[in-house]
Amino acid sequence: MNEDTEEKLYVLPVFPLRRSVLFPMIAGPFAAGRKVSIEALEAAASSEDKTLITATQKDASIDSPDADDLHRFATRGVVRRLARSEETLEVIIEGLERVRIQSVDWEDDRLIAHAIPAPVVMEPGPESEALKREVVSLIREFQVLLPQLGQLDVDEFLHRLRDPMHLVYLLGALLELDFEKSQRLLDASEQNQAMKLLLEYMRSEYEILKLRREIAGEAESEAGREQRNYMLRQQLKAIQKELGETQGGETATQELRERLEQAEVPDAVREEAERELGRLAGIPPASPEHGVIRNRLELILELPWIRRTEDNLDLARARQVLDDDHYDLAEIKERILEQLAVLRLNPEAKAPILCFVGPPGVGKTSLGQSIARALGREFERFSLGGLRDEAELRGHRRTYVGAMPGRIIQAMRRAGSANPLLMLDEIDKLGQDFRGDPASALLEILDPAQNYEFRDNYLDLPFDLSRVLFITTANTLETVPGPLLDRMEVLHLSGYSDEEKLEIARRYILERQRIQAGLARDQFRVPEETILRVIRHYTREAGVRELERRIGRLARKIALRIAEERKIPDTIAPELLRELLGRERFRPEEARKEMPPGVATGLAWTPTGGEVLYVEAILLPEEGKLTLTGQLGDVMKESAQAAQNWVLSHAARLKISHPRAGLHIHVPAGAIPKDGPSAGVTMATAIASVYSDRPVRGGTAMTGEITLSGLVLPVGGVKEKILAARRTGLRRVILPRGNEKDLDDLPESVREEMEVMLADRIDDVLRMAIPELLPEGESAPPAESSEQEPRAGQAASAPSVPRQHGDSKNADSPGTQLSRR
């Protein structure tokens, strides 16, 4: 420290402060982390008098301040304690006197200041005394609010503080003023000026402390024994109330009101929403009803009351999209194109309600996605399988805890448009219990005459579902209630033939699984003969779901070999399937080589496709006894009784020598429940064969319902049954004439390969199946002989008789013929 002739001049290191001020005659702790600060402290600590200058920065964000970045009035202080940590210095500095910085220079990575003392001008007199007394008065008031002043003896305190500026600086430090106000106190060059600033700050701080005390008291009375977080929330509420600011609940209400003003909703809905907003504004946010009303309002604002997506009515593009995603399915694709054509001519036309019925894996759900893509509509789906609570569809009433809107309204909210495509999967697996009948709720949802103002229990406002394109899926229609079925347009998706599966695998599955496995085209080549072997020896299904899994496993096996840097085959030959997929799961089905008297081949439908069913009959010594085995259902048992009685009633004409002998009928695969009327002609043929001791013609399968008057009635599942016969090696099938129209569903290759014969009566069936039993001219009424067999691919015409009634209303529907559990 140097001293000139007139006044002292200090040349000391500068300790720059970011957001704090050190007052003269006051000690305070500081932490130094910047290099310039550490250099200043170390230089001071190593000096003889340990003094330095603390100057506050004008801009706290500057790391390396220069002279212009520091306030001119600063404090000369002495380092009383210095402690080192890993990256910082902890220091206590006591202020000695007020100084004015004349210049600042850099010297060895630290700031060196040239400063001169700048004492405050003392102004004794009446004004100074009045200011001092006012400060003392405020100190006494502060004692009530500040715990650190509560035990202070003010008179003793003032007696010991001879210097008024010591009082100013001490109170400035105790009040914890922000650094800008503290710097103004330090900048004050006159005592009265400093006292006035202090009084201003004290009054402001006093009002703040008083308000905080009131807020704390108000919050404490309301909070009771609540935890600290609740106390803080109450204090915030009280602060907002005092400041006149909007409270949280009112903010939420205002946000909802602004959203309502911008929302596109019908007038009736807007009126209800405004009424609910009025209620919400008067309910405390802590009330449970507040949450219920707010959730309902948010649902109202999020629903697409008017918003719609524009339908893409380009028929060529729609056809291309459907063809790209699915093979064949011509009838369904045509139906979608019809709807597009209608919408083109009449944009306000009601959307149809379609029901896709077919075995698993035939593409019902994915077809819905393709339809949505072709139309340019949003797609949403959910499953109805196992649904037992009606409220899942209609929504829960808001009076219940945890109430939610129904799945229909939730799907509409997710879709974001008033005309999406909603797919309701597994409609045949709906449940029912004490909570209601979901199928009955669907009656309104799926009825265009009612669903234009569907009311969800939670929403409790009419919502228009008439623009929604509903598509439902089912494996069978037997479990779908009649009234619900009447609401829907049913489109059947039959099982695929081996050729169709091959084409689907080539067009879609191979490429999809190759991409998922991350393989290049030249790394995954599967020839047609390999795919056919997978279809016939590793899968047995009506759809292609298991086929896709098997091809996916082939792709993963190749990917594993590549990852292990093993050699991969150029093409996956059929001989490699055992190594890649394991042993074959299914043996090729073959027709029985030997058909002794009493054995006939029938055809059945299952949810997974068609099946070949053998009916075996033998005579028993007990007269008139009928024994049925093979887990037959009631309908199938009645068919057996009707068949036996018809055959015995024509015993003479059928040359039956032992009509009173007992009869045992057995259907193999006894562990599988079986039912349905379509085995009637098979049972009649087996019974006639065993009674007459004549075998049934080899390679012939049959299906059809019979009556006691000898009629053969149409049944369902014809395509699946003929495909099953073909798969087994049977090339001749007897069908009811009423099923002639179903032959159009067969692929051209199957129609050319199979010989289909049509029958009106049981006599026709027996003449085709057991030619020796009913020679020409012995049927009643007489008819032409059918000895001449038709060419392959042509339906043989049986002797015709006048029909008593057309196609039976009791014709089988898929799902009633053979149940595979």
Side-chain angles (χ1 to χ4, degrees), residues 16-19 34 36-37 56-70 106 111:
L17 303 177
R18 288 183 188 268
R19 292 182 178 84
R34 291 180 292 175
V36 64
S37 302
T56 302
Q57 293 181 198
K58 298 176 182 178
D59 186 352
S61 63
I62 298 176
D63 287 332
S64 299
D66 288 325
D68 294 337
D69 299 321
L70 301 175
W106 282 96
L111 289 171

Side-chain angles (χ1 to χ4, degrees), residues 303-480:
L303 282 175
W305 299 92
I306 298 175
R307 295 191 303 272
R308 298 183 190 177
T309 55
E310 185 176 353
D311 287 333
N312 191 329
L313 303 179
D314 186 344
L315 298 181
R317 176 189 172 278
R319 189 186 297 274
Q320 183 64 40
V321 169
L322 295 174
D323 289 340
D324 288 346
D325 292 348
H326 290 84
Y327 175 70
D328 198 17
L329 305 178
E331 179 186 357
I332 296 177
K333 294 177 180 178
E334 194 68 22
R335 178 64 184 87
I336 301 305
L337 294 175
E338 291 172 5
Q339 182 63 24
L340 277 177
V342 170
L343 289 174
R344 241 175 129 167
L345 300 177
N346 179 17
E348 300 301 318
K350 300 292 185 182
I353 297 172
L354 307 178
C355 179
F356 295 161
V357 182
V362 296
K364 299 184 292 295
T365 303
S366 60
L367 183 59
Q369 294 173 330
S370 297
I371 294 172
R373 192 161 71 91
L375 291 172
R377 294 193 180 191
E378 299 294 331
F379 176 82
E380 284 293 331
R381 67 164 292 275
F382 60 88
S383 176
L384 299 174
L387 192 69
R388 295 180 175 273
D389 190 354
E390 179 184 337
E392 288 288 328
L393 293 175
R394 289 189 181 274
H396 303 81
R397 300 191 183 279
R398 297 191 303 277
T399 53
Y400 296 109
V401 176
M404 295 176 61
R407 293 195 183 186
I408 298 294
I409 292 298
Q410 290 185 40
M412 295 300 297
R413 175 165 58 181
R414 292 194 303 269
S417 70
N419 61 336
L421 188 152
L422 290 189
M423 174 156 278
L424 314 183
D425 273 333
E426 312 294 352
I427 196 172
D428 56 326
K429 298 175 181 62
L430 279 171
Q432 180 181 355
D433 61 12
F434 65 92
R435 290 170 291 186
D437 181 10
S440 298
L442 284 174
L443 292 178
E444 177 188 0
I445 296 171
L446 300 181
D447 189 347
Q450 301 180 52
N451 63 12
Y452 66 92
E453 52 179 15
F454 169 70
R455 279 186 178 268
D456 182 271
N457 290 331
Y458 183 90
L459 181 62
D460 197 24
L461 287 170
F463 191 87
D464 186 4
L465 297 176
S466 62
R467 304 296 176 190
V468 178
L469 175 55
F470 285 102
I471 296 181
T472 64
T473 69
N475 297 129
T476 175
L477 297 178
E478 290 302 304
T479 55
V480 181

Side-chain angles (χ1 to χ4, degrees), residues 627-640:
T627 303
L628 301 172
T629 56
Q631 277 214 66
L632 309 185
D634 291 339
V635 176
M636 208 165 182
K637 290 177 181 178
E638 292 172 358
S639 295

Side-chain angles (χ1 to χ4, degrees), residues 219-232:
E220 183 178 358
S221 64
E222 294 181 7
R225 288 175 290 182
E226 294 290 338
Q227 296 180 348
R228 179 176 177 276
N229 287 343
Y230 182 79
M231 172 72 75
L232 294 174

Side-chain angles (χ1 to χ4, degrees), residues 594-606:
E594 297 181 2
M595 296 287 287
V599 178
T601 307
L603 299 172
W605 183 95
T606 74

